[in-house]
Amino acid sequence: MMKSWNLDDGLRLVRAIQMESRVYGYHLTLGGGVLNNGKSDKDLDLYFIPLDNPRLEAANADGLIKWLVKLWGAYEVIGADYKN
């Protein structure tokens, strides 16, 4: 069963993992239907944006992905053959 999301859910999640994403040189933002409409029956769109801060280490995409897999489990690559 797919989870529906609302703005409060999204904000709680972003606030819970925002600081850890900075360890890997990324800022976490909320987007998509939850941000624009306050809810989504399909998904929660999260955007990891590289920080542009010379006092911090450069963005570590591999480290971020490994941390997210540890947090949420394996992922599937989607692409040209992705179907709604």
Side-chain angles (χ1 to χ4, degrees):
M1 181 174 177
M2 200 177 300
K3 175 180 177 23
S4 46
W5 292 89
N6 63 44
L7 188 55
D8 287 338
D9 294 332
L11 288 174
R12 267 193 300 280
L13 181 60
V14 167
R15 289 173 179 155
I17 65 175
Q18 171 84 267
M19 292 310 292
E20 186 70 19
S21 71
R22 295 177 64 87
V23 169
Y24 301 99
Y26 285 85
H27 182 71
L28 176 59
T29 65
L30 184 61
V34 172
L35 179 64
N36 296 321
N37 305 316
K39 66 184 178 78
S40 172
D41 293 330
K42 290 177 23 180
D43 58 17
L44 179 68
D45 296 314
L46 300 174
Y47 299 92
F48 293 86
I49 302 168
L51 294 168
D52 185 20
N53 187 336
R55 294 178 295 165
L56 298 174
E57 288 189 37
N60 175 359
D62 290 335
L64 177 69
I65 291 169
K66 285 178 185 172
W67 172 64
L68 291 172
V69 166
K70 199 164 147 182
L71 187 65
W72 288 321
Y75 63 94
E76 283 185 44
V77 175
I78 58 174
D81 61 342
Y82 178 70
K83 295 180 179 40
N84 289 335

